[in-house]
Amino acid sequence: PTGSLLYPYGPHQGDETNPKHDDGTSEEITLSVPFTFYGKSYQTAFVNNNGVISFDEPVRQYTPDPFPLADGRPFVAPYWGDVDNVLGGDIFYRQTTDPALLADISQDITQYFPNSPFTATWALVATWDHVAYYGSTSQKGNTFQAVLTSDSKMFYIILNYWDIQWTTGAASDGDAETGLGGIPAHVDSPPIFQAGFNSGDDTNFYNIPGSQTDAIINITTTSNVKVPGRWVFRVDKFEVTGVDPPQLNNDCWL
């Protein structure tokens, strides 16, 4: 599916395709523009099959931990869950300086953040296209996208949620037929999935509202920029716009 929410993707856009491998990951991506994420600059990234873009190291873990992570891994979790692209779907990514795409991204971000005019010079576009969940016996798939972009001074991440049909893989106690249910999101137990950011500094993190609860299935209707299914964050320094300040503890958003 393609809609105005998703930026163009796929092999015809020059995308790389991740290997078909449960809990797999892309090759190490050397960023042509180092990406500043919460005060630190990173030269390499990985697009991980389980719905995570990580810096410096891949993430193969399939049952998400609550943020903030104690081990200091910095990453973006558009939709951290137990994806199995062997059973269905593809994960695509590309770095791009395509003028038409950068113009669209620049226009969008300037609209959302009018006090900081933004002209993108680079983007990394990662798309999970109708990806299945581990243990699936259904045709359900999730389609979502993460865009890292910069003008070399400001750094933004755009998360696009086009179609979300499942929340939990079977190895995390989800139902194999529905991809729903799973480990309840209590403080003492692992969450079903995670959507948000972990800065790597033990303190700063952000959970998109609905994370760690079944309500995340509705993420295609929520937003912090008044575009259903889209969340946009400036990430070179820690600030969250359009929603309450980030919580600096382990409480779930409910």
Side-chain angles (χ1 to χ4, degrees):
T2 54
S4 57
L5 187 70
L6 296 176
Y7 298 108
Y9 68 92
H12 59 288
Q13 296 290 333
D15 281 2
E16 303 286 334
T17 304
N18 274 18
K20 295 276 187 184
H21 192 269
D22 183 37
D23 302 330
T25 181
S26 69
E27 298 174 352
E28 182 177 71
I29 303 164
T30 300
L31 302 176
S32 52
V33 173
F35 196 80
T36 301
F37 187 65
Y38 299 137
K40 291 185 183 173
S41 181
Y42 297 95
Q43 311 274 349
T44 60
F46 293 83
V47 174
N48 303 277
N49 289 6
N50 285 338
V52 172
I53 297 178
S54 56
F55 299 103
D56 290 349
E57 300 285 337
V59 172
R60 298 182 186 276
Q61 181 179 336
Y62 62 83
T63 297
D65 291 322
F67 294 158
L69 300 178
D71 60 9
R73 283 177 293 174
F75 62 64
V76 181
Y79 199 93
W80 188 10
D82 196 359
V83 170
D84 186 352
N85 66 340
V86 177
L87 293 177
D90 288 293
I91 296 112
F92 300 111
Y93 67 91
R94 73 183 180 283
Q95 291 188 80
T96 180
T97 56
D98 174 63
L101 176 67
L102 293 180
D104 287 346
I105 291 173
S106 302
Q107 181 178 355
D108 288 343
I109 289 181
T110 299
Q111 178 185 337
Y112 309 144
F113 300 84
N115 295 333
S116 306
F118 179 79
T119 303
T121 55
W122 166 91
L124 170 68
V125 181
T127 309
W128 287 258
D129 184 36
H130 203 75
V131 290
Y133 53 92
Y134 180 80
S136 172
T137 58
S138 76
Q139 297 298 309
K140 287 188 173 184
N142 286 348
T143 299
F144 55 95
Q145 185 178 70
V147 178
L148 281 59
T149 187
S150 173
D151 64 358
S152 79
K153 295 191 265 320
M154 294 183 285
F155 295 81
Y156 285 92
I157 293 176
I158 302 169
L159 304 179
N160 294 322
Y161 299 96
W162 178 249
D163 189 20
I164 300 297
Q165 299 180 355
W166 61 266
T167 63
T168 323
S172 306
D173 292 344
D175 185 294
E177 290 183 19
T178 66
L180 301 173
I183 297 166
H186 297 163
V187 173
D188 299 330
S189 66
I192 313 172
F193 54 82
Q194 188 80 17
F197 302 92
N198 193 67
S199 70
D201 65 6
D202 286 351
T203 305
N204 291 310
F205 66 97
Y206 179 69
N207 289 325
I208 289 179
S211 264
Q212 305 181 354
T213 78
D214 288 329
I216 202 73
I217 199 94
N218 300 318
I219 199 168
T220 54
T221 66
T222 63
S223 178
N224 65 339
V225 292
K226 299 185 171 65
V227 179
R230 176 171 287 175
W231 291 76
V232 185
F233 305 89
R234 183 172 172 184
V235 296
D236 44 297
K237 51 191 181 173
F238 198 88
E239 57 182 51
V240 176
T241 49
V243 288
D244 293 333
Q247 303 191 190
L248 298 182
N249 56 34
N250 275 340
D251 290 346
C252 300
W253 287 88
L254 293 173

